[in-house]
Amino acid sequence: MMRNWYDVAIIGGGITGASIARELSRYRLKIVLLEKEVELAFGVSKSNSGIIHPGTQNPPDSLKGKLCVRGNLLTRKIAGELGVDFKEVGELIVIFNEDERPRLLQIKNEAETLGVPGLKIVDRKWLDEHEPNLSREVIAALYAPTAGIISPYRMVYDLAENAVKNGVQIFLGHKVIGITKEAGNLRLNVAVSSGEEPRGRACRQAGSLAGSECTFRSRFVVNAAGLFADEVSALAGVNDFKIRPRKGEEFLLDKKKEHLTNHIIFPLPTKTSKGILVIKTSDGNPMIGPTAQEIDDKNDLSTSDDGLSKVIEGARKMIPTIDGNDIIAYFAGLRPVAGDDFIIRREEKVPGFINVAGIQSPGLTAAPAVALMAVELLKKSGLRLAKKWLFKKHRHPSVHLFADLFSKTRELIKKNPSYGEIVCRCEMVSAKEVRDAIRRGARTLDGIKFRTRAQAGRCHGGFCTIRIIKIMHEELGIPYTEITKRGNGSEVVRGVRE
Amino acid sequence: MENRNNVKERELVVVGGGPAGMAAALSAYENGVRDILLIERDQYLGGILNQCIHPGFGLRYFRENLTGPEYADRFIKKISAVPSIEISLKSYAVNLTAGRYLAYIKPGKMEEVKAKAIIMATGCRERTREMVHIAGTRPAGIYPAGLAQKMINLEGWLPGREVVIVGSGDIGLIMARRFTLEGAKVKAVIEIQKTSRGLIRNVVQCLEDFGIPLYFSHKISRIHGRDRVEKVEVVEVDDSFNEKPQTRFEITCDTVLMSVGLIPENELIELAGVAIDKKTNTPVSAEVNKTSVPGIFVCGNSFKIYDLVDGVTYDSAKAGKMAAEYLKGLK
Amino acid sequence: MIKKITCIECPQGCQLEVNVEEGRVIGLTGNKCPKGDVYGRQEITDPRRVLSSTVLAKGLEIKMVPVRTDKPVPKSKMFAVMEEIKKIRLTRPVAVGDVIIANVLGSDANVAASREVGP
């Protein structure tokens, strides 16, 4: 039983859970992270747009606003330590008429109250010079230079990998189905959906068999279960909040359009969302969206014709040259909304239980600050924090050929021939990168896509899917028929002649 | 290319070892070019012909009814016998400039060449579900028809058991028959137009022979399924392609094949500054195989989408001759 | 009785009108070439198709070797021929045209390799 006893158990392997895990791994603690999906970042985080917000568009007294501004600063440091590509591109909130100007000035004032640096109102002349594709209808904009972009899933994977290096245990395919108070502990009942043997550095699985249940005991439990945080909280007996999914449909454009804009472009925000944006992404493909639609089903990731036309209309209002024919991919994500602000608190009713819920936008940006706050709450609840002698804060960065200069590519290939074995031609991803992704924890086609971009380009996997399946077969030693897109039930090959 | 120390000079480089590239290289040789490099990304020559195992090729060019691999085999034999044509397999072109510097990657090496003339024979890719905007979810089981063809014919994998095919392009029709012969159930082919995009004989021998229904003026309006495809919604459309909601019905299936057209692959020459028609993704040109940049020629499906490989061979041979004449003009 | 069929000999797809009396063809129109005449008569009395598929290779350079029948086989026997093809485990290198199953199911057609495959 001692094997499954921990100081802190984190429920949920998205950006919030992974950030908390890594922050806690600085201390001499026994930590476990439980994720119900077959890979990390497969919930809310996988559909994030990757914007590191400067802190604008938040009420000045809000928790999310304060954590966002702080998170923006911290993200740069962490991205540097982990070798995740962060680009400060800046954002523009644009207005189309003088009636909108007072609201824009209000946003500027509120953001300055929160401490957002470098804000200025820019006029048409500035815009002509710095954002030439912007609609002629735009009369002015609020420029926030500290906005940035990052790959949301790579951030999760790399945080988790670093946390594991510092001693955190991660169990995938482990869904918490019961939380019980015991003397000095919380007991977690866990349903296991994935029976893989422990393997790989980043993500180990319990040696338990699929379909079975197991028990974990922990003095403290942090609920970072995203869309399902209300259900997990209710398991512990705290059911005073509800997560309402708010769907956002996003559309990705061909990488050819990488230089469509120089900044992230926002309209004035509405009551429920920041509006339809034109986003730069760290992978180069511009993204347009998202929609904002309240729905009931936490599994509904469908896109709609209506969403597409709304997004194109909204995006073209700001950048008129956007063409529907440049769309190469689309998806929907769900924001886990619990009222207007984040819920980050100790639950007095259940000593040792911490809720980190309702982490909607700007959750990716705020994550490092959310993690610090969670650690503070754990400390207040009695967790002793003793720093490790050696916290390994750095991570050997992943190689992405597409992001490198040809001179660097040449050197890489010389050192390791399989960098010269191209798997995905649209995004220029080599066999070596795919193998590395698997060795670092990828178990599914989507997991490889999120880590390497293979299958994410304009041909959408038409060329590389077979090559990737063969590499997975070799590296993981599993039959073709068990290779999945995103976990059990999503097998891609139904039969093999042999 | 920032470092040009290791650049090799070449008369002619042909990019692509499918029917177009092979015909172009052979014809350039026959027209006097003696220094030819052909690069091919796969480990075999033949390109897409290797997965087109059905007959119907070569009726014009060879006056015989050949399968794709048989058609390819004749050119592979011929080109392999010409020592002046150097063939580099598993080689990916990754960069091209207007000055005809070409960089390519192969296992263990990145090579750069400066060619006096270049023939791009890079073929085409399939249009995807994303490009025709079908609403719904994104489960496993949605494949471009050509990918499914490669899975079955080259790997021996069956990608699905109950199949609905979107679009009546030839690859989709051919795959309807192939899936059926492999024991899968093809439930329907859905075509938004009023007539088939594929050849009439393929409608007959691939669908009618097996009793597979073909719905004209219909589209898939939604794909359902969380992990794997579970069903599709099908609806009739009017002449302006607007849905007629009262005609909506569902088909349960685990697989959706997309056969909705091909797009020429011209991203490399676009990088090099060749004028490209945004609608068709083909080089802007008044004459077959020509581009806006002198010395850069394009042939085969990357120049325009051909119905039959015979036409590719005839026109690509022209490209080889044009490149040879261009090279003579430089001297 | 006039039967309308589409010729599949070439991409033109001629619409043939075959005049059939008591199972015998007594006239055929609509063909643009002699192949159409042969096809139309055959299709009415004994429809046949060239069948192409793949056989599984063991220990050769590629896993699936493409094959075809060198003559059309009876349409009604296509699935039976497929079963024969699926039984094969090819272990020797082949050239284009090498016979893999001779006289498959007594149809007078051979199943032959359509790609050269080395060891």
Side-chain angles (χ1 to χ4, degrees):
Chain A
M1 264 305 139
M2 287 307 286
R3 194 170 73 98
N4 283 356
W5 189 95
Y6 296 88
D7 293 307
V8 184
I10 300 158
I11 303 171
I15 185 68
T16 305
S19 296
I20 294 170
R22 195 227 181 206
E23 190 52 43
L24 281 173
S25 72
R26 298 172 188 275
Y27 304 100
R28 278 190 266 160
L29 296 168
K30 197 170 172 209
I31 303 159
V32 67
L33 186 152
L34 303 170
E35 167 55 49
K36 73 178 169 59
E37 297 294 327
V38 68
E39 289 203 43
L40 300 173
F42 269 27
V44 176
S45 297
K46 77 167 175 183
S47 341
N48 189 289
S49 60
I51 301 174
I52 299 301
H53 294 282
T56 49
Q57 301 124 305
N58 291 303
D61 54 348
S62 62
L63 177 60
K64 62 182 183 183
K66 288 174 193 133
L67 294 174
C68 179
V69 175
R70 195 172 176 203
N72 180 294
L73 280 171
L74 292 168
T75 297
R76 298 152 192 263
K77 182 165 174 279
I78 294 171
E81 289 170 352
L82 299 178
V84 183
D85 195 25
F86 169 86
K87 282 195 201 92
E88 186 177 74
V89 293
E91 72 177 32
L92 294 169
I93 304 171
V94 301
I95 56 167
F96 294 88
N97 56 60
E98 287 301 333
D99 294 349
E100 290 182 329
R101 196 179 289 270
R103 177 83 180 98
L104 193 69
L105 292 172
Q106 188 197 350
I107 289 171
K108 180 169 181 274
N109 286 336
E110 287 177 354
E112 280 166 347
T113 307
L114 277 166
V116 180
L119 297 175
K120 65 173 178 185
I121 302 285
V122 292
D123 61 9
R124 192 62 238 184
K125 190 163 159 273
W126 190 97
L127 292 170
D128 283 340
E129 201 175 316
H130 295 91
E131 199 59 90
N133 289 336
L134 198 62
S135 162
R136 303 300 309 161
E137 310 284 314
V138 172
I139 60 161
L142 173 62
Y143 172 50
T146 55
I149 49 175
I150 205 162
S151 161
Y153 7 88
R154 261 177 242 143
M155 189 67 169
V156 175
Y157 294 133
D158 296 350
L159 281 164
E161 186 186 305
N162 190 242
V164 168
K165 195 167 182 187
N166 287 294
V168 172
Q169 285 180 283
I170 294 179
F171 293 94
L172 299 169
H174 279 54
K175 182 184 179 181
V176 175
I177 52 171
I179 301 174
T180 326
K181 282 188 245 182
E182 287 182 343
N185 279 328
L186 289 165
R187 191 182 79 210
L188 304 176
N189 286 348
V190 173
V192 182
S193 63
S194 178
E196 198 186 327
E197 290 296 311
R199 195 180 185 288
R201 273 195 305 164
C203 299
R204 263 167 301 180
Q205 312 226 201
S208 42
L209 288 167
S212 66
E213 285 187 20
C214 57
T215 305
F216 290 77
R217 285 183 170 77
S218 183
R219 283 180 62 213
F220 296 90
V221 171
V222 179
N223 172 20
L227 281 167
F228 302 90
D230 54 346
E231 293 167 39
V232 167
S233 183
L235 291 176
V238 180
N239 46 17
D240 60 349
F241 67 92
K242 265 263 159 265
I243 301 284
R244 298 293 307 275
R246 187 183 291 153
K247 193 201 272 189
E249 299 182 28
E250 304 250 30
F251 299 81
L252 275 163
L253 308 184
D254 196 301
K255 208 180 202 162
K256 285 188 225 173
K257 301 287 170 182
E258 180 164 359
H259 303 294
L260 187 69
T261 66
N262 297 319
H263 306 88
I264 307 163
I265 318 282
F266 293 70
L268 277 182
T270 67
K271 253 199 110 46
T272 53
S273 84
K274 297 189 174 76
I276 306 283
L277 327 178
V278 179
I279 305 164
K280 293 178 81 68
T281 69
S282 65
D283 296 325
N285 311 67
M287 193 190 283
I288 57 176
T291 55
Q293 182 197 0
E294 311 286 337
I295 60 165
D296 297 320
D297 181 357
K298 290 175 176 176
N299 291 310
D300 176 6
L301 294 173
S302 62
T303 48
S304 63
D305 294 338
D306 187 45
L308 171 67
S309 46
K310 269 194 191 130
V311 165
I312 290 193
E313 188 193 345
R316 289 181 60 134
K317 200 169 167 230
M318 300 184 296
I319 307 288
T321 51
I322 287 173
D323 184 346
N325 288 326
D326 289 323
I327 293 173
I328 61 157
Y330 38 89
F331 57 87
L334 302 176
R335 309 167 181 91
V337 180
D340 290 329
D341 211 339
F342 297 166
I343 297 174
I344 305 174
R345 65 187 188 205
R346 289 192 282 166
E347 298 297 350
E348 305 296 342
K349 260 171 78 182
V350 190
F353 190 75
I354 311 264
N355 265 319
V356 184
I359 311 296
Q360 51 158 312
S361 179
L364 174 71
T365 312
V370 169
L372 287 176
M373 187 172 167
V375 172
E376 200 53 37
L377 290 176
L378 285 165
K379 195 176 160 189
K380 279 186 191 153
S381 309
L383 179 67
R384 218 175 70 84
L385 298 174
K387 286 214 166 168
K388 283 178 184 158
W389 282 108
L390 182 64
F391 168 67
K392 298 163 200 143
K393 66 179 176 185
H394 291 288
R395 178 187 160 275
H396 190 65
S398 309
V399 168
H400 298 288
L401 283 188
F402 75 85
D404 280 325
L405 292 169
F406 281 120
S407 53
K408 172 111 183 276
T409 303
R410 187 187 301 118
E411 289 310 306
L412 284 170
I413 296 171
K414 217 181 269 174
K415 268 189 223 139
N416 191 322
S418 74
Y419 278 120
E421 198 183 315
I422 299 294
V423 167
C424 165
R425 53 148 192 229
C426 302
E427 299 293 324
M428 207 170 130
V429 182
S430 65
K432 176 78 166 70
E433 289 159 83
V434 174
R435 286 181 201 279
D436 283 350
I438 296 169
R439 286 169 194 164
R440 286 181 131 151
R443 290 293 172 273
T444 62
L445 285 166
D446 276 0
I448 287 172
K449 174 166 78 181
F450 294 151
R451 286 173 178 86
T452 66
R453 283 204 57 72
Q455 315 157 74
R458 55 182 78 92
C459 91
H460 229 78
F463 181 75
C464 63
T465 301
I466 289 176
R467 289 159 192 255
I468 295 169
I469 290 173
K470 284 173 148 176
I471 294 175
M472 289 172 78
H473 167 75
E474 272 174 44
E475 288 284 327
L476 298 170
I478 54 174
Y480 296 118
T481 47
E482 285 177 23
I483 285 166
T484 68
K485 179 170 164 58
R486 60 171 84 101
N488 289 344
S490 65
E491 289 75 17
V492 284
V493 175
R494 295 245 126 148
V496 177
R497 288 259 293 267
E498 54 197 354
Chain B
M1 267 162 267
E2 46 303 339
N3 173 358
R4 288 187 175 149
N5 293 336
N6 307 313
V7 180
K8 287 175 195 153
E9 299 237 341
R10 290 280 190 174
E11 287 280 300
L12 174 65
V13 177
V14 179
V15 180
M22 290 194 290
L26 281 165
S27 147
Y29 173 76
E30 283 156 13
N31 285 284
V33 186
R34 285 295 173 268
D35 172 26
I36 303 171
L37 170 68
L38 184 150
I39 68 171
E40 162 57 40
R41 67 183 181 207
D42 205 351
Q43 57 180 319
Y44 303 101
L45 291 173
I48 213 74
L49 287 173
N50 288 329
Q51 69 188 62
C52 300
I53 62 164
H54 53 283
F57 300 86
L59 288 164
R60 256 179 82 203
Y61 194 80
F62 291 111
R63 301 198 173 278
E64 282 180 67
N65 191 6
L66 303 174
T67 65
E70 289 169 326
Y71 191 96
D73 184 69
R74 301 202 174 182
F75 287 91
I76 294 170
K77 291 231 158 73
K78 215 170 155 188
I79 204 166
S80 306
V82 180
S84 320
I85 303 177
E86 183 194 335
I87 294 163
S88 179
L89 299 172
K90 293 176 106 176
S91 301
Y92 283 74
V94 292
N95 195 22
L96 176 67
T97 71
R100 296 182 301 282
Y101 282 92
L102 179 85
Y104 63 97
I105 288 178
K106 59 184 190 181
K109 245 184 196 166
M110 176 159 161
E111 303 267 21
E112 284 168 58
V113 289
K114 161 96 173 77
K116 288 186 184 152
I118 288 203
I119 300 177
M120 300 296 287
T122 46
C124 55
R125 62 175 176 267
E126 298 183 85
R127 295 185 72 212
T128 62
R129 172 257 177 114
E130 284 69 25
M131 304 185 76
V132 294
H133 305 304
I134 301 178
T137 53
R138 274 154 297 284
I142 306 168
Y143 304 100
L147 172 61
Q149 183 179 49
K150 195 169 173 188
M151 284 182 169
I152 296 180
N153 292 347
L154 297 186
E155 304 302 332
W157 304 341
L158 191 62
R161 302 199 177 280
E162 294 190 312
V163 186
V164 170
I165 298 175
V166 183
S168 61
D170 282 313
I171 314 170
L173 300 176
I174 295 288
M175 287 318 292
R177 174 174 64 185
R178 192 74 187 103
F179 266 96
T180 307
L181 289 171
E182 285 293 328
K185 170 91 185 146
V186 178
K187 294 199 152 177
V189 176
I190 312 293
E191 172 58 61
I192 196 167
Q193 305 287 345
K194 288 179 185 165
T195 54
S196 170
R197 298 185 208 205
L199 298 170
I200 175 84
R201 68 170 175 161
N202 284 336
V203 174
V204 173
Q205 63 186 353
C206 298
L207 302 187
E208 291 175 11
D209 272 5
F210 302 98
I212 298 167
L214 169 55
Y215 295 88
F216 290 118
S217 298
H218 277 71
K219 68 178 240 192
I220 290 192
S221 54
R222 204 169 182 84
I223 295 173
H224 292 267
R226 182 174 177 264
D227 298 317
R228 175 90 197 191
V229 174
E230 286 163 17
K231 63 183 179 186
V232 293
E233 280 175 35
V234 180
V235 65
E236 195 180 338
V237 295
D238 63 22
D239 289 352
S240 329
F241 303 117
N242 295 313
E243 297 179 13
K244 299 182 184 173
Q246 71 284 1
T247 64
R248 199 176 302 272
F249 64 100
E250 290 181 351
I251 305 177
T252 58
C253 56
D254 67 2
T255 303
V256 176
L257 283 199
M258 301 301 299
S259 178
V260 288
L262 301 169
I263 304 166
E265 288 252 271
N266 283 311
E267 277 62 32
L268 273 175
I269 58 170
E270 196 176 0
L271 266 178
V274 170
I276 298 288
D277 181 322
K278 299 281 170 210
K279 268 214 149 65
T280 55
N281 215 42
T282 55
V284 177
S285 172
E287 199 182 335
V288 70
N289 304 329
K290 277 223 168 129
T291 72
S292 61
V293 176
I296 297 182
F297 302 87
V298 178
C299 67
N301 276 336
S302 48
F303 185 80
K304 65 172 192 191
I305 300 300
Y306 288 78
D307 275 344
L308 297 167
V309 70
D310 304 68
V312 168
T313 302
Y314 285 118
D315 280 355
S316 299
K318 261 183 226 163
K321 193 172 177 214
M322 289 161 87
E325 278 161 9
Y326 172 83
L327 289 169
K328 275 176 208 155
L330 294 178
K331 283 170 188 160
Chain C
M1 188 182 61
I2 300 289
K3 282 198 176 175
K4 291 188 179 179
I5 58 174
T6 305
C7 178
I8 61 170
E9 285 294 316
C10 86
Q12 291 203 59
C14 294
Q15 297 299 308
L16 309 179
E17 295 199 347
V18 193
N19 196 350
V20 187
E21 290 292 339
E22 292 168 4
R24 282 179 351 116
V25 176
I26 56 169
L28 188 149
T29 57
N31 56 314
K32 292 182 193 142
C33 82
K35 279 186 189 166
D37 189 74
V38 177
Y39 173 80
R41 289 168 197 278
Q42 182 77 37
E43 185 69 6
I44 296 299
T45 50
D46 173 21
R48 285 171 176 254
R49 297 286 183 269
V50 169
L51 182 71
S52 59
S53 184
T54 52
V55 299
L56 188 62
K58 291 283 173 193
L60 301 182
E61 62 172 334
I62 55 174
K63 183 187 167 193
M64 305 306 295
V65 176
V67 296
R68 61 173 294 178
T69 59
D70 57 3
K71 289 189 194 111
V73 296
K75 217 169 121 178
S76 57
K77 281 193 178 169
M78 273 199 289
F79 284 96
V81 173
M82 275 300 296
E83 288 311 308
E84 295 303 306
I85 287 173
K86 282 182 192 170
K87 288 179 195 161
I88 299 289
R89 298 289 178 272
L90 187 69
T91 53
R92 63 184 162 90
V94 287
V96 174
D98 281 4
V99 173
I100 289 172
I101 310 174
N103 188 20
V104 62
L105 296 177
S107 66
D108 194 31
N110 300 315
V111 174
S114 58
R115 180 171 174 178
E116 185 172 305
V117 181

